[in-house]
Amino acid sequence: MIDKFLTSIHEQSHFDRLIRLFRTFFYLSLGLQLSLMVGSAEELWGSDAVVSKQDEFFTWYNIFSYDFFKQHLWFTIGFYYLIILFGIFSIKPWVTAVLNTVFTYSFFFTINSYTNAGHHLSIQLSLFFLFMLCFRIKKHPSQLDFLWNIFSNLGVNAGRVLVCLLYFIAAGYKLTGENWLSGNAFEYVIMVDEFSLPSLQSFFLNNKWIMVVATYFGLTYQVLFPFVVWFKKIKIPLLIAGAFFHISIMFLHGLPGFGFVMICSYLLFLSNDQANLLSQKLGVSRLWVN
């Protein structure tokens, strides 16, 4: 398996359609996450925002280190939306990706203490995406093209490993706690008003066995994912099950930003042929300018 992995890093990149498909949905996930927070923009990023007093978040590459962006917050948000729109339509992908990395870090990392959505994953995937864009498909390749292929392949595989590590660490943490092993974790979450709907609370409390099944399904999925996602025959059913799992979290617990970026990250596990087929079925390839 290690030899196969190393070969996939060095060989000519075959991720062109995969990267384009991932790019479209990744930018959509960023737009969704930003839209969920834009109603509290002044409190989160404005001149008088609480986070503006947390100096550890403010570095030279954080745009909110500069008063102009805080004082002209709605212009800054509008520019971020423009970056996302350019990304969806594949306009100036390199320039857009660099700007997106800076803006994604600036908007999301500064508020990591105030949210539990998928912002950390979004920031890291933005960085790996820069490497993914290094792929080159030419009729007459140059001698240095193998370097671009290595960078591109590393970006895709790094994104895959990142998702596996996320599940591996989450599963390890849950295996050390009593609530997940006892099957009560889902019940504890559904009882929190901020993460559930009153009608759903009543339904699940009258059907506790569903909550136990959901708890063990979530735990089992996270334990198995880092190991079985690499097997071709199991991969697609596993990803589909995970998509439904995160969709349920989006609606049951009110975490659409986290669910969408997780489903988006699953696209990295597709082959290029699978990504091409999915792009055609969804019609997203029509959005790509180049």
Side-chain angles (χ1 to χ4, degrees):
M1 182 176 291
I2 295 178
D3 291 338
K4 185 177 180 180
F5 176 78
L6 292 176
T7 301
S8 70
I9 295 296
H10 186 270
E11 68 183 1
Q12 183 178 357
S13 176
H14 298 292
F15 293 135
D16 57 317
R17 288 290 169 177
L18 171 63
I19 291 171
R20 287 172 180 265
L21 179 66
F22 172 74
R23 171 170 54 202
T24 300
F25 282 92
F26 181 54
Y27 281 112
L28 283 172
S29 75
L30 294 176
L32 174 62
Q33 292 180 74
L34 180 61
S35 297
L36 292 173
M37 298 180 293
V38 76
S40 304
E42 293 289 349
E43 291 79 5
L44 294 173
W45 303 296
S47 299
D48 298 324
V50 175
V51 292
S52 64
K53 298 179 174 59
Q54 299 186 7
D55 295 334
E56 66 270 21
F57 293 130
F58 288 83
T59 53
W60 66 269
Y61 47 87
N62 184 345
I63 61 172
F64 291 115
S65 298
Y66 308 97
D67 290 336
F68 172 84
F69 293 99
K70 291 187 289 186
Q71 293 171 358
H72 301 84
L73 179 59
W74 293 105
F75 166 81
T76 306
I77 292 174
F79 190 74
Y80 189 16
Y81 272 122
L82 185 64
I83 294 172
I84 292 171
L85 193 63
F86 273 39
I88 293 172
F89 287 96
S90 188
I91 301 173
K92 300 293 182 182
W94 251 107
V95 176
T96 302
V98 172
L99 289 173
N100 172 69
T101 301
V102 173
F103 272 70
T104 298
Y105 171 85
S106 302
F107 271 86
F108 292 161
F109 189 74
T110 50
I111 60 169
N112 77 89
S113 299
Y114 301 87
T115 179
N116 58 0
H119 299 149
H120 282 142
L121 181 60
S122 298
I123 294 168
Q124 291 165 325
L125 286 177
S126 293
L127 179 61
F128 292 145
F129 183 56
L130 293 176
F131 288 88
M132 297 179 202
L133 286 177
C134 290
F135 73 88
R136 296 289 189 275
I137 300 177
K138 298 179 180 178
K139 293 182 179 179
H140 305 287
S142 67
Q143 294 180 346
L144 294 178
D145 278 353
F146 79 96
L147 288 175
W148 297 115
N149 291 328
I150 290 175
F151 285 135
S152 178
N153 294 335
L154 277 173
V156 174
N157 284 288
R160 293 171 173 175
V161 172
L162 174 64
V163 176
C164 289
L165 282 175
L166 186 152
Y167 278 129
F168 182 80
I169 295 172
Y173 177 79
K174 290 170 182 176
L175 287 172
T176 61
E178 296 181 0
N179 292 334
W180 283 90
L181 294 177
S182 64
N184 296 324
F186 187 91
E187 181 176 359
Y188 282 114
V189 175
I190 206 69
M191 290 302 296
V192 178
D193 293 337
E194 289 78 7
F195 293 111
S196 61
L197 299 173
S199 58
L200 291 176
Q201 283 181 333
S202 175
F203 171 78
F204 283 113
L205 288 176
N206 293 325
N207 298 273
K208 291 192 175 183
W209 65 272
I210 298 179
M211 293 189 289
V212 175
V213 171
T215 299
Y216 283 122
F217 173 82
L219 180 60
T220 303
Y221 184 85
Q222 292 185 350
V223 169
L224 293 178
F225 185 95
F227 305 101
V228 303
V229 73
W230 306 104
F231 295 93
K232 292 182 179 180
K233 294 183 178 180
I234 305 176
K235 178 176 63 176
I236 298 301
L238 182 74
L239 296 178
I240 293 174
F244 280 107
F245 173 64
H246 284 291
I247 289 173
S248 68
I249 292 177
M250 290 169 62
F251 291 99
L252 292 178
H253 303 313
L255 294 173
F258 173 73
F260 202 82
V261 73
M262 284 303 303
I263 296 173
C264 173
S265 68
Y266 285 172
L267 297 174
L268 292 173
F269 291 94
L270 300 179
S271 68
N272 204 55
D273 290 339
Q274 291 168 336
N276 189 34
L277 180 61
L278 185 59
S279 299
Q280 293 175 356
K281 287 188 174 182
L282 296 178
V284 296
S285 56
R286 299 174 185 175
L287 301 174
W288 301 332
V289 174
N290 52 52

